[in-house]
Amino acid sequence: MPRLPRGLRRSTKVILTLSVVMCLCLVLIGAKKTPIPEDLGDKYKTWLEAVELIITKEERDAFLAIKKDYQRDAFIEQFWKIRDQYPATARNEFRERYEAMIEQARHEFGDLTGDRSKIMLLNGLPEARIIIACHELWPAEVWFYSSAQNTGFETLLLFYRRFDQGPYWLWYPQDSIRALLKFAPPRAIGIQELVSSCRYDQGQAVAAAIGRATSGGALSFMSTVSDLLRTPKSPSKEWVTTFHTYSTDLAPTDATFNAEVAISFPGRHQNRTIVQSIITVPVDQAGLADLAGHTSYNFVVTGEVLREDRLFDNFRYQFNFSSSDIPGDQIPLVFERYLRPAKYDLVIKVEDLNAKAYFRNQAKIEVPVVDYADVVPPDKETAKLLAEANAAISTGAATLRIVPPRGELNTGMTRIETLITGSDIGRVSFILDGRPLLTKVAPPFSVELDLGSLPRIRTLEAVAYNSADEELARDEIQINTGANRFAVRLVEPRRNKRYVSSLRAEAKIDIPEDKVISKVDYYLNETLVATLNQPPWVQPILLNGTEELAYVRVVASLPDGNTTEDTVFINAPPHMENLEIQFVELYITALDENKRPVKGLGIDDFLIFEDGLAQDPMRFDLVSNLPIHAEILLDVSASMEESLSMAQQAALGFFEASITPKDRAALITFNDHPNLTQKFTNDLGKLAGGLAGLRAERGTALYDSLIFALYYFNGIKGQRALVLLSDGQDEHSRFSYEDTLEYARRAGVAIYTIGLNLSRKERDVRKKLSRLAQETGGRSFIVESSDELPVIYEIIQDELRSRYYLAYQSSNSSEDDEFRTIEIKIAQSGVEAKTMRGYYP
């Protein structure tokens, strides 16, 4: 906060007085800060002082409420982590830069409380720092920024140290020139007289700084200072709440109940030991929820693992049990962590959500080195139930991993390698897209795949067997999925395997770039049994002791609400088949005779035909309720030079009008090759930054760029739209138009094409752009001038927000992969439906 100006007179303008009053209000607000406890260690007091300018009130209060040093250390690490602007890198550039500035400020200025320290910490080092040593003036400095971090424009600042004591203060016009003089005469003095005792260069620097501060008036300078002292944008407040949910502390007034904790080490995962914990809660101690006749027990387990008095790991699980699933008088809560062999403190807090009571246990554990051998859990009834689940832990005799091919858009003949451990592998079978491909009986266990001429998504599975034809290990990858794939696959339990007492549920998750998993839910049939908030995504599940047909379902969620799931049936009869249900999703635009979207239709207004056969709609919704992923594919070839500026402005207008907090947009530019200029985001600043600084040059690779843009949609579900703007014919692509059309049909992305200033001689280009839109459910526009682009983008935006979501289960159960045509008819007269023309199963 800027220091309050001194020397205010009654003649000060009213508007300036109001600014001072506002500053005083801020001071009073700041005075209400939570006081620092006297017993807080010097280490943490020093840290609070260092981050005073960037810590929020919520963060400061939360930090001061922490009672244990290891939790304070964990808080500090998380404080810096959420401010990391580039989390994909191994470094935290923001923290490194800020801590380096802290160290330099302390070295240069002695402390962090002065104005110089605050300005430097928030704006970086000045480009020029002139030390003023004039005979008649107090010690002073002039700082110059050509573009200060918080203002973005040239800034000159004057700091001075009155009476040659204490810190340096920033000079304000209200302080008057006299405040800079050691012996000020009673009369008014000018700038030139002020600097008359200075060396020429120093005098000029002081005069320039004073002139810049006074040129726009005192209020203007205060506004500049306010910008200079503006703290960085505060991160989400949610992380503080989340941090506290992982606390294992109890309040003195919390009700408690009794439970027992047993620890075992049933195996290892790579170089870590599996630590399996079983918490048994007596039924008579647990609260029972009754919701419309459905009774259940519900618990949350929070844990901390300490090593050498530092937080090494923390975790959180939620368990739900139907009362009918508890056969005895004990409720077992089971979870696993992977820890390196060492000594730890394990702190566990169990919250009974129904009884509003807690159990807390802290114990020292020594995690041993576990060989790949069967390890028997403790001799307890509940632990015996887990023997079957623990049998699924790898013995280490054999492992198999498919090495994904390098690069993107893989096509043609491609060799896929595997990594194998163990000596008992007799053969490895490869399955491509669900069909057996080949079996190799000797190393190297690799395969040569023909991926075709287009970068289609392909699924490759490898299964290793021993000489007795028993399965030892398996792995599965998807090729050409792109960076946005979000998928989950149950590695355990195995499909159609038989389980009686327990099983081990283990999920493998593909996460989109720059995303994190918020939670993973495990279901037994339709009963939610456990919620995991952090890896490993492994959960032992207890069964009812019979071999009844059942299924395990896993659902992974992202913070934005997107989910993906997988299901595995267990104890299925031999004749039961896993049927692939062909669920077709359509996004439909209804247009009137004037090509305007028709709103207000219902599910009964739509008739669906696949290859001429009527289909029954199963789901229906308005797209205005659903998120949109949109890409703009912008031509920046040399011929776009005159139109590029308007195209940039129009594209930005489209982003501003279309992208809400739940939507995402990306920008891809192209000339003789495509370039991902901005990844999917809802940050308009980043999208605007991607549009800035573009230059029109080189030729046009339209078809290659279209395939690249469609490929970037891989792994994204829901409504997707590609908006292409180009002014010319393809010149450099290795893919043909027929390749692009075929790829577009498979992608399921609505393509909106805008042909800019295409001459009538380019009828072929117009025809091709129109067909791309028609086949995919988009729309084609031909405009003569870039001035028309804002209107076209507005039409597209309105259409995307007015579509209908319709889904049906295809009645065609054949296994062919031929193209299936789709036709949508609308019962209302004069209304036509527009959607993709068909799909490949």
Side-chain angles (χ1 to χ4, degrees), residues 144-155:
F144 171 72
Y145 291 97
S146 62
S147 179
Q149 185 170 307
N150 279 355
T151 63
F153 52 80
E154 186 178 288
T155 304

Side-chain angles (χ1 to χ4, degrees), residues 411-718:
T411 58
M413 298 304 296
T414 304
R415 175 167 291 278
I416 306 293
E417 305 287 347
T418 62
L419 295 178
I420 300 287
T421 64
S423 58
D424 194 27
I425 294 179
R427 62 186 175 92
V428 174
S429 295
F430 293 92
I431 301 100
L432 182 64
D433 296 333
R435 296 183 175 90
L437 183 66
L438 63 85
T439 297
K440 301 197 72 173
V441 297
F445 294 113
S446 58
V447 63
E448 189 88 5
L449 299 181
D450 184 359
L451 299 179
S453 59
L454 294 173
R456 292 170 48 196
I457 295 178
R458 313 297 293 269
T459 301
L460 178 66
E461 189 175 5
V463 185
Y465 300 89
N466 61 14
S467 55
D469 210 29
E470 298 170 329
E471 180 180 320
L472 297 178
R474 70 168 57 214
D475 193 21
E476 178 185 302
I477 65 167
Q478 286 204 322
I479 303 167
N480 286 331
T481 56
N484 296 304
R485 172 174 166 79
F486 179 38
V488 62
R489 178 171 63 89
L490 280 166
V491 179
E492 289 285 343
R494 302 288 178 87
R495 283 170 169 76
N496 297 325
K497 187 177 177 181
R498 312 198 72 76
Y499 299 88
V500 178
S501 300
S502 62
L503 59 83
R504 179 183 177 83
E506 179 178 355
K508 180 180 179 181
I509 306 176
D510 293 323
I511 308 173
E513 59 182 3
D514 303 328
K515 300 288 185 182
V516 295
I517 297 296
S518 61
K519 65 173 182 175
V520 171
D521 294 317
Y522 280 106
Y523 294 81
L524 181 61
N525 298 324
E526 284 306 304
T527 300
L528 175 63
V529 295
T531 297
L532 284 61
N533 296 102
Q534 65 288 308
W537 309 117
V538 177
Q539 180 58 42
I541 296 177
L542 300 178
L543 305 177
N544 58 10
T546 67
E547 293 189 35
E548 294 180 352
L549 172 66
Y551 59 88
V552 175
R553 184 162 66 97
V554 60
V555 180
S557 302
L558 298 178
D560 60 10
N562 282 324
T563 62
T564 184
E565 63 181 76
D566 188 27
T567 301
V568 169
F569 282 89
I570 61 171
N571 299 334
H575 61 274
M576 180 176 174
E577 298 180 0
N578 287 330
L579 298 179
E580 289 290 335
I581 297 176
Q582 187 66 53
F583 203 64
V584 184
E585 296 182 316
L586 303 175
Y587 291 90
I588 304 169
T589 302
L591 299 175
D592 62 17
E593 296 174 349
N594 296 317
K595 301 297 182 183
R596 292 176 301 193
V598 176
K599 303 178 182 180
L601 300 179
I603 189 172
D604 295 333
D605 292 311
F606 294 87
L607 301 175
I608 311 171
F609 299 89
E610 181 181 298
D611 289 338
L613 298 177
Q615 307 292 318
D616 294 325
M618 299 181 65
R619 296 181 186 174
F620 179 82
D621 203 347
L622 301 178
V623 166
S624 58
N625 302 329
L626 304 175
I628 295 175
H629 279 78
E631 287 179 11
I632 283 186
L633 180 59
L634 182 61
D635 188 342
V636 292
S637 60
S639 58
M640 283 285 294
E641 185 171 4
E642 293 184 3
S643 306
L644 185 56
S645 177
M646 189 62 197
Q648 290 169 290
Q649 292 298 322
L652 179 58
F654 173 79
F655 287 141
E656 290 175 339
S658 304
I659 305 305
T660 70
K662 65 182 179 180
D663 304 317
R664 298 291 184 272
L667 175 66
I668 298 175
T669 58
F670 72 97
N671 39 44
D672 55 8
H673 69 280
N675 177 55
L676 178 58
T677 307
Q678 176 56 54
K679 300 176 182 179
F680 277 115
T681 181
N682 60 359
D683 188 328
L684 290 174
K686 291 182 179 179
L687 292 167
L691 286 164
L694 299 178
R695 183 169 63 179
E697 58 184 356
R698 300 199 294 272
T700 306
L702 175 60
Y703 304 143
D704 283 1
S705 302
L706 268 167
I707 288 179
F708 177 85
L710 292 170
Y711 174 86
Y712 188 59
F713 276 111
N714 283 350
I716 294 176
K717 300 177 182 179

Side-chain angles (χ1 to χ4, degrees), residues 75 144 204 266 291 376 390 402 426 521 555 577 654 731 836:
F75 184 98
F144 171 72
Q204 290 300 306
L291 182 61
V376 179
N390 292 339
I402 304 174
D521 294 317
V555 180
E577 298 180 0
F654 173 79
E731 299 170 337
M836 64 181 187

Side-chain angles (χ1 to χ4, degrees), residues 196-350:
S196 60
S197 67
C198 300
R199 202 174 67 191
Y200 178 78
D201 56 340
Q202 295 184 14
Q204 290 300 306
V206 173
I210 293 175
R212 180 64 59 85
T214 57
S215 61
L219 185 60
S220 175
F221 184 73
M222 285 188 67
S223 176
T224 298
V225 174
S226 177
D227 288 339
L228 290 168
L229 293 173
R230 185 175 66 249
T231 58
K233 183 179 179 182
S234 300
S236 170
K237 298 179 181 179
E238 295 179 359
W239 86 266
V240 176
T241 304
T242 302
F243 182 87
H244 277 295
T245 62
Y246 280 80
S247 173
T248 59
D249 293 339
L250 295 183
T253 56
D254 287 336
T256 60
F257 62 89
N258 296 321
E260 293 185 7
V261 179
I263 307 294
S264 60
F265 310 100
R268 59 186 279 189
H269 177 79
Q270 297 174 358
N271 62 343
R272 299 195 178 197
T273 297
I274 298 174
V275 180
Q276 192 173 85
S277 300
I278 307 172
I279 307 167
T280 53
V281 180
V283 169
D284 59 9
Q285 298 257 332
L288 187 65
D290 189 338
L291 182 61
H294 175 75
T295 55
S296 64
Y297 300 101
N298 309 94
F299 301 91
V300 171
V301 174
T302 305
E304 296 173 324
V305 180
L306 312 181
R307 184 178 180 185
E308 297 177 351
D309 295 325
R310 292 187 64 86
L311 185 64
F312 182 80
D313 183 26
N314 59 0
F315 51 87
R316 184 177 173 85
Y317 298 89
Q318 181 166 340
F319 297 94
N320 304 280
F321 301 93
S322 173
S323 59
S324 60
D325 293 334
I326 306 299
D329 58 359
Q330 301 285 334
I331 304 172
L333 312 178
V334 186
F335 64 88
E336 292 182 357
R337 307 303 299 167
Y338 298 160
L339 298 176
R340 292 187 177 90
K343 293 181 179 180
Y344 301 91
D345 282 289
L346 176 61
V347 187
I348 296 173
K349 181 181 75 174
V350 182

Side-chain angles (χ1 to χ4, degrees), residues 115-133:
D115 288 348
R116 293 182 302 176
S117 295
K118 294 175 182 178
I119 296 290
M120 188 181 77
L121 289 174
L122 294 173
N123 296 272
L125 290 167
E127 293 176 47
R129 179 183 168 200
I130 304 169
I131 307 299
I132 307 300

